[in-house]
C-alpha cells in the first residue's frame, strides 16, 4: 500500500514502455468500460453542453466577464438564489489536454452546487495551438486574482480542475500571490484525474499542438516543481483532494498517487481517493447529478450543510477544523494524518459512485 512518506520510484514506469504502450496510457478514451471510446466522448460533450444550457437558463449569471485584455480571457459566474458577495466560490478549469474544451460546455456542477449556496465560476483560457502552457498558467493565475479582488468578502476560493484543468489548478499551489498584489483566500483544491508530470506526454501524439520539450515539461510540471523545491501552504487550513477514477489508466492512477505523496511530504493537508466504477469522463460529467457522491452534503450543524464534499460546512465555529465533509459515506482514512478525532472531516479512500 502507498504511504505518504514514500518517495517516487527511481525510474518512472513509463520510461520502460514502448511508444504504443505510452500512447495508450495517455489516451483516456481507450480505458472506458462503457459506451466505447467514441460513445464516451460523445456523452461527455453532450452532457457538458446540456448542463451549461440548463445552468444559463435557470440560474442568475454573469457571462463572459473579462479577467484580462485577451479575447479568450473570460469567465462565467453562476450564482445561487440568495444573492451575496460573501459566498464560497468554486472555480472550475475544464480538461481537454490543453487543446480542446470550452467554458461554454463545462458547467457540469452548477445545478447541484448553486442549489447548496455555492457560486460557481467557469474559466476560459487560450488552448493550444493559440495558447502555450505558460500562457494558460498565467491566465488561470490572473483569473483567480481577479475573483479575489472582485469578491474580497468571499467565504473561500476552491479550485476544481479536471484532467488538464487539474494540472492548471495544481500549478496554483506554486503561485506567489503577494507578487500578484493579492492575498487569495484559497481554501481548497479539488483535482480530478489530473496530469502532474508532463514529461511522458512529450513522447505522445498529444504533444503535437503543445510542442513541449523535455525541459518545458519539467519547468511546468507541479510534480517536478514540488519535488525540487517543496512549498509550504500559505494557509495551513488549505486542503488538497486528489481524486482519480477506478477506470482511469494505470499511468493516470500512478500520477495521482505520486502527486498526493509529494503533497504530503511537503506539509500540505492532502487526501487521495480512487473513485470506484467511474472512468476519466464519468468522473466529471456525473457532477451534473445531485446524488453523485462528489455532490453530497455532509451532516453539518443540526444536519444542515449547504456546501458539499470539498467546501467547509456552514456555521463552523471559529477555530473548528474546516474542510471536506462527506457525511455517512466517509470511509477509512487515507490522508496525511489530519483526520483527528473530533474533527468534522475524515479523509476517504474508496467510495462507490
Amino acid at each position: 500500500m502507498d504511504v505518504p512518506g514514500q518517495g517516487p520510484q527511481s525510474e518512472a514506469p513509463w520510461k520502460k514502455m514502448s511508444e504504443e504502450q505510452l500512447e495508450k496510457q495517455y489516451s483516456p478514451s481507450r480505458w472506458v468500460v462503457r459506451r466505447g471510446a467514441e460513445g464516451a466522448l460523445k456523452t461527455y460533450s453532450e452532457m457538458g453542453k446540456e448542463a451549461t444550457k440548463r445552468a444559463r437558463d435557470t440560474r442568475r449569471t454573469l457571462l463572459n466577464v473579462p479577467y484580462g485584455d485577451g479575447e479568450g480571457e473570460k469567465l462565467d459566474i453562476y450564482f445561487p438564489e440568495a444573492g451575496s458577495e460573501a459566498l464560497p466560490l468554486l472555480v472550475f478549469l475544464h480538461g481537454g489536454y490543453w487543446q480542446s474544451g470550452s467554458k461554454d460546455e463545462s458547467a457540469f456542477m452548477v445545478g447541484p452546487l448553486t442549489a447548496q449556496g455555492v457560486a460557481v465560476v467557469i474559466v476560459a483560457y487560450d488552448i493550444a495551438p493559440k495558447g502555450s502552457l505558460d500562457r494558460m498558467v498565467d491566465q488561470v493565475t490572473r483569473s483567480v486574482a481577479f475573483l479575489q479582488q472582485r469578491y474580497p468578502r468571499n467565504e473561500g476560493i476552491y479550485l476544481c480542475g479536471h484532467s488538464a484543468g487539474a494540472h492548471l489548478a495544481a500549478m496554483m499551489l506554486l503561485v506567489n500571490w503577494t507578487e500578484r498584489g493579492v492575498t487569495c483566500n484559497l481554501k481548497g483544491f479539488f483535482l480530478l484525474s489530473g496530469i502532474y508530470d508532463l514529461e511522458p506526454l512529450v513522447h505522445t501524439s498529444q504533444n503535437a499542438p503543445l510542442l513541449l520539450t523535455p525541459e518545458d515539461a519539467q519547468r511546468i510540471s507541479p510534480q517536478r516543481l514540488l519535488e525540487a523545491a517543496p512549498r509550504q501552504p500559505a494557509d495551513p487550513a488549505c486542503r488538497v483532494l486528489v481524486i482519480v477514477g477506478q477506470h482511469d489508466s494505470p499511468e493516470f492512477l500512478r500520477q495521482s498517487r505520486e502527486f498526493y505523496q509529494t503533497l504530503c511530504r511537503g506539509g500540505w493537508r492532502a487526501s487521495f481517493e480512487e473513485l470506484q466504477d467511474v472512468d476519466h469522463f464519468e468522473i466529471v460529467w456525473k457532477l451534473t447529478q445531485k446524488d453523485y457522491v462528489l455532490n453530497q452534503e455532509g451532516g453539518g450543524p443540526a444536519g444542515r450543510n449547504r456546501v458539499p464534499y470539498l467546501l467547509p460546512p456552514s456555521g463552523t465555529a471559529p477555530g473548528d477544523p474546516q474542510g471536506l465533509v462527506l457525511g455517512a459515506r466517509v470511509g477509512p482514512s487515507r490522508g496525511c494524518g489530519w483526520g483527528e478525532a473530533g474533527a468534522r472531516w475524515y479523509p476517504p479512500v474508496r467510495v462507490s459512485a
Side-chain angles (χ1 to χ4, degrees):
M1 185 175 94
D2 294 316
V3 294
Q6 179 179 318
Q9 298 179 12
S10 57
E11 184 176 28
W14 69 266
K15 293 186 177 180
K16 301 176 182 178
M17 294 180 185
S18 67
E19 183 177 330
E20 181 180 353
Q21 289 172 327
L22 190 61
E23 186 73 21
K24 182 179 179 181
Q25 287 289 326
Y26 286 94
S27 300
S29 63
R30 297 175 67 175
W31 296 87
V32 301
V33 295
R34 287 173 284 271
R35 301 176 187 85
E38 185 176 339
L41 290 168
K42 182 180 179 182
T43 300
Y44 172 74
S45 176
E46 289 176 349
M47 293 291 286
K49 291 175 182 177
E50 290 171 7
T52 303
K53 183 180 186 304
R54 186 165 55 251
R56 291 177 176 180
D57 288 344
T58 61
R59 295 296 188 265
R60 295 191 304 115
T61 63
L62 287 175
L63 302 179
N64 297 311
V65 178
Y67 63 83
D69 296 330
E71 181 182 354
E73 295 175 351
K74 306 286 196 301
L75 52 82
D76 296 340
I77 309 175
Y78 299 85
F79 296 96
E81 185 174 342
S84 170
E85 290 191 1
L87 292 170
L89 303 175
L90 189 287
V91 181
F92 182 68
L93 306 170
H94 67 79
Y97 262 138
W98 308 276
Q99 56 200 274
S100 65
S102 162
K103 72 174 178 61
D104 298 320
E105 52 188 41
S106 298
F108 297 98
M109 71 296 295
V110 166
L113 294 196
T114 55
Q116 298 182 55
V118 181
V120 178
V121 182
I122 314 294
V123 177
Y125 53 90
D126 288 329
I127 57 177
K130 179 179 180 180
S132 66
L133 259 72
D134 287 295
R135 181 173 180 175
M136 296 177 215
V137 171
D138 179 66
Q139 288 176 322
V140 171
T141 304
R142 287 188 286 112
S143 74
V144 175
F146 167 83
L147 288 167
Q148 179 62 49
Q149 291 169 331
R150 181 162 182 146
Y151 299 104
R153 295 173 54 229
N154 70 75
E155 291 184 357
I157 296 176
Y158 299 81
L159 296 185
C160 177
H162 172 239
S163 196
H167 160 266
L168 295 173
M171 288 296 291
M172 298 303 101
L173 296 167
L174 296 149
V175 173
N176 184 329
W177 295 103
T178 302
E179 292 180 353
R180 296 282 177 161
V182 296
T183 302
C184 278
N185 190 25
L186 287 171
K187 293 298 184 184
F189 289 76
F190 193 23
L191 308 178
L192 293 171
S193 295
I195 299 177
Y196 310 105
D197 178 3
L198 275 56
E199 187 178 358
L201 292 178
V202 173
H203 309 282
T204 72
S205 64
Q206 304 294 348
N207 193 38
L210 301 175
L211 302 176
L212 291 175
T213 66
E215 293 74 25
D216 293 332
Q218 185 160 358
R219 178 177 48 79
I220 205 164
S221 293
Q223 173 74 29
R224 299 292 191 88
L225 294 170
L226 285 172
E227 284 176 348
R231 180 184 291 266
Q232 294 290 324
D235 181 354
C238 184
R239 302 187 169 175
V240 185
L241 180 56
V242 182
I243 289 189
V244 66
Q246 179 188 8
H247 303 306
D248 268 306
S249 76
E251 271 294 283
F252 272 81
L253 285 157
R254 178 189 67 82
Q255 288 230 12
S256 288
R257 282 195 301 267
E258 291 190 2
F259 190 60
Y260 154 70
Q261 292 165 354
T262 298
L263 289 168
C264 287
R265 289 193 297 272
W268 290 85
R269 289 191 156 189
S271 148
F272 171 80
E273 182 173 327
E274 180 183 330
L275 198 63
Q276 293 296 280
D277 199 31
V278 294
D279 61 39
H280 188 82
F281 306 99
E282 292 169 333
I283 201 170
V284 67
W285 70 247
K286 282 193 172 188
L287 288 168
T288 60
Q289 304 170 358
K290 66 180 180 180
D291 59 347
Y292 181 41
V293 65
L294 298 186
N295 286 330
Q296 292 301 297
E297 295 181 273
R304 176 180 176 273
N305 176 26
R306 64 185 173 86
V307 285
Y309 208 63
L310 180 65
L311 311 183
S314 61
T316 303
D320 276 3
Q322 294 187 7
L324 318 185
V325 177
L326 193 55
R329 296 199 185 194
V330 172
S333 159
R334 184 190 287 180
C336 303
W338 51 286
E340 300 88 352
R344 293 179 183 269
W345 183 82
Y346 298 84
V349 179
R350 298 163 75 97
V351 182
S352 299

